[in-house]
Amino acid sequence: MRFLETFFNGAVMAKYLPDLLSAIVTTLWLSAVILVLGLSLGLALACLRSLGRWYLTLPIVAFADIGRALPPLVVILICYFGLPGLGISLSGPMVLILVLAAVLAAFAEEIFWAGLTAVPKGQWEAGRATGLGFARTLFEIALPQAIRMGIPPLVNRALAITKMTALGSVIGVKEILSVSSSAQSFSGSATPLTMAALAYLAIFLPAVLLSRLLERRYSWAV
Amino acid sequence: MTAPAPVHQRPMLEINRLEKRFGETEVLKSIDLRVAPGELVFVIGPSGSGKSTMLRCCNRLEEPSSGTILLDGEHVTDCRGAALDRMRLKIGMVFQGFHLYPHKSVLGNVMLAQIRALKRPKAEAKARAMEMLEHVGLAHKADAMPAELSGGQQQRVAIARALALDPKVMLFDEPTSALDPELVGSVLKVMRQLRDEGMTMLVVSHEMGFAREAADRVVFMDGGVVVEAGPPGAIFGNPQSDRLKSFLARVSKAAE
């Protein structure tokens, strides 16, 4: 009974459910924006890197390495509390989106690039020998194969990054964790945190299952 | 048998003083070679003789260090960017490793460059692809994925993919070397059929039997130069140079 009282208190649940629902919506749209921005930026960077120009490769590699090395929380705090000193004031959600999208882009670039380098040279030669230009060969032949190879690590990375929306709680973004942890301090009950955990499961478990479908759809025998 | 090309006829493919260096290594030393329209020229030689490099220079997968290559009187070696892509449409190439696109069906493989490079309407490209697959005996595999095909079938699809672009010349880079022996015949059959239809072909291969029977001319390369060239009867029956004699001896020994 004590267990239920602590983690599944009905009265507390009822009280904070509306807040939590709107927090779920916030987490969902933040995640969606971060995924779209991060993955497309990562893909674009990998494509630019495939041109093999040092003045493109150098900054891209630097961006990817730094983005993967820094803890996102550090960057979030610097942007949120530091940038206003330069006269640049960004809202909490804006900082969260920009930083997490950039971090995702850094990882995604490396994953797409690894896929591109794993496409056999003969695939490029077959494309070019049939009169396809560099861009056509990249988009029609090399990228589909690179993306397919990258899907399992990309899915893992995408899940890890979207879960990091919880970092928004330190800069006042009204997402699931921040809403439930403030509910916890107001109510003195751990129940809102249980609700947060359940909300995360409700979002991410289907995402994990969906990713399995995706992996199967994009697989072909080699 | 097609008669040897008359001398006054413009060659379909013309290689003049072709040289290729990789750093300090001279792989091709002033190669001259002409392939008449409808002619099947067979290039033989030990590995490392430069024959594949020469073939790959013809569509600039390998960049020549110097020399010129002309296709039907047009410079291949001068082409840049989009002009080179257009030129490559006229030069079909078949690789040792097939290089079919694993993410596309057989039909998709044969249609891709027709649509994206040749800008054929989709329906027309599909009809042409089916026609070419029919030609290599694989129309019934149009919807299969490359991985579901045997090596011989994959290579025939690769031939159909090149033919669908209506090339003026076909380059074959050891087309049967990666195949199990029992699958070689099906690919050679398609090549013989092409030859009989009058396709101009430059073939690098170790299939001496096929060279003897189907080639109009055989070119023997060694050490980056053309050592000897002539009709198959003369090359195989009456080799002049010591290098060709010892090569043929080694090959026939290996075949025993």
Side-chain angles (χ1 to χ4, degrees):
Chain A
M1 277 321 281
R2 178 122 171 252
F3 177 82
L4 282 183
E5 196 62 24
T6 308
F7 292 105
F8 295 94
N9 185 314
V12 175
M13 280 191 168
K15 185 170 178 202
Y16 291 105
L17 193 60
D19 285 355
L20 192 74
L21 285 178
S22 85
I24 289 176
V25 172
T26 305
T27 292
L28 280 176
W29 76 257
L30 282 172
S31 301
V33 175
I34 290 165
L35 284 183
V36 170
L37 283 181
L39 291 177
S40 30
L41 179 60
L43 185 61
L45 290 177
C47 290
L48 284 176
R49 189 171 170 187
S50 73
L51 290 172
R53 305 291 151 105
W54 67 266
Y55 51 84
L56 292 173
T57 302
L58 208 65
I60 290 170
V61 171
F63 170 78
D65 286 356
I66 293 171
R68 292 183 304 154
L70 280 175
L73 183 56
V74 174
V75 189
I76 287 170
L77 292 176
I78 289 176
C79 291
Y80 191 69
F81 295 109
L83 285 184
L86 298 177
I88 306 169
S89 240
L90 298 174
S91 70
M94 191 61 113
V95 167
L96 192 65
I97 286 172
L98 289 180
V99 172
L100 291 186
V103 171
L104 178 57
F107 280 97
E109 186 279 327
E110 283 300 304
I111 293 169
F112 286 124
W113 177 250
L116 280 176
T117 55
V119 173
K121 197 165 148 251
Q123 292 289 311
W124 280 93
E125 292 188 344
R128 300 309 303 271
T130 47
L132 297 169
F134 177 86
R136 285 269 184 232
T137 309
L138 176 64
F139 292 129
E140 303 277 349
I141 296 168
L143 262 191
Q145 299 182 51
I147 290 173
R148 181 245 177 177
M149 286 185 259
I151 280 179
L154 279 173
V155 165
N156 281 335
R157 188 48 60 184
L159 287 171
I161 288 286
T162 43
K163 280 189 285 187
M164 283 185 199
T165 50
L167 294 176
S169 59
V170 300
I171 53 170
V173 179
K174 298 256 169 268
E175 49 69 57
I176 295 173
L177 183 62
S178 87
V179 166
S180 57
S181 81
S182 69
Q184 185 265 330
S185 34
F186 283 125
S187 66
S189 161
T191 298
L193 296 177
T194 317
M195 295 167 77
L198 290 174
Y200 279 120
L201 275 184
I203 295 174
F204 289 108
L205 210 51
V208 171
L209 296 176
L210 196 71
S211 73
R212 291 203 188 281
L213 275 178
L214 193 71
E215 278 169 38
R216 207 165 314 147
R217 219 199 114 189
Y218 276 85
S219 69
W220 56 81
V222 174
Chain B
M1 280 295 284
T2 342
V7 189
H8 63 267
Q9 198 174 8
R10 182 168 76 183
M12 183 58 87
L13 185 68
E14 192 178 341
I15 301 173
N16 298 310
R17 295 181 307 283
L18 176 66
E19 295 186 4
K20 175 69 185 175
R21 284 177 296 275
F22 291 108
E24 294 293 295
T25 328
E26 260 191 307
V27 183
L28 299 175
K29 304 164 188 166
S30 199
I31 300 280
D32 287 289
L33 185 65
R34 274 153 195 56
V35 185
E39 198 183 19
L40 194 167
V41 173
F42 218 91
V43 184
I44 59 172
S47 67
S49 59
K51 50 196 196 307
S52 277
T53 305
M54 181 208 45
L55 202 70
R56 290 162 57 84
C57 281
C58 293
N59 65 355
R60 305 261 304 276
L61 284 183
E62 221 59 83
E63 205 53 54
S65 301
S66 68
T68 55
I69 293 165
L70 287 88
L71 177 73
D72 203 9
E74 287 181 273
H75 274 274
V76 178
T77 25
D78 286 351
C79 292
R80 295 278 171 273
L84 177 58
D85 294 336
R86 280 193 299 277
M87 182 58 81
R88 281 173 168 157
L89 283 170
K90 303 175 198 167
I91 307 171
M93 184 159 199
V94 175
F95 301 89
Q96 180 177 355
F98 329 135
H99 303 332
L100 294 184
Y101 313 131
H103 58 298
K104 293 198 175 288
S105 68
V106 163
L107 190 62
N109 265 271
V110 185
M111 285 172 69
L112 179 66
Q114 290 190 67
I115 294 171
R116 297 299 188 190
L118 209 52
K119 311 287 180 203
R120 266 193 193 137
K122 206 169 165 192
E124 197 184 316
K126 186 174 176 185
R128 182 75 178 139
M130 287 310 295
E131 190 188 331
M132 286 301 108
L133 287 172
E134 190 79 52
H135 210 64
V136 299
L138 288 171
H140 61 293
K141 294 286 187 186
D143 296 322
M145 296 304 275
E148 298 162 21
L149 304 183
S150 73
Q153 291 172 328
Q154 289 192 43
Q155 192 60 298
R156 279 144 67 200
V157 172
I159 293 174
R161 175 172 71 181
L163 286 177
L165 302 169
D166 302 317
K168 290 183 170 181
V169 61
M170 286 283 286
L171 311 173
F172 291 83
D173 190 4
E174 309 210 15
T176 57
S177 300
L179 295 178
D180 291 335
E182 77 271 21
L183 302 175
V184 168
S186 67
V187 172
L188 295 183
K189 190 177 148 214
V190 168
M191 291 171 68
R192 189 174 301 120
Q193 189 184 325
L194 271 181
R195 171 197 175 282
D196 293 343
E197 289 158 9
M199 174 59 76
T200 308
M201 297 160 79
L202 184 57
V203 181
V204 168
S205 167
H206 297 289
E207 299 290 336
M208 299 299 168
F210 182 70
R212 204 186 282 264
E213 162 215 347
D216 294 304
R217 212 145 46 86
V218 178
V219 172
F220 171 62
M221 280 179 70
D222 190 13
V225 295
V226 173
V227 178
E228 232 178 297
I235 292 290
F236 294 114
N238 186 20
Q240 300 297 307
S241 62
D242 290 341
R243 281 201 272 182
L244 176 54
K245 281 177 196 163
S246 76
F247 172 71
L248 290 175
R250 282 203 305 278
V251 170
S252 62
K253 205 174 208 171
E256 275 164 22

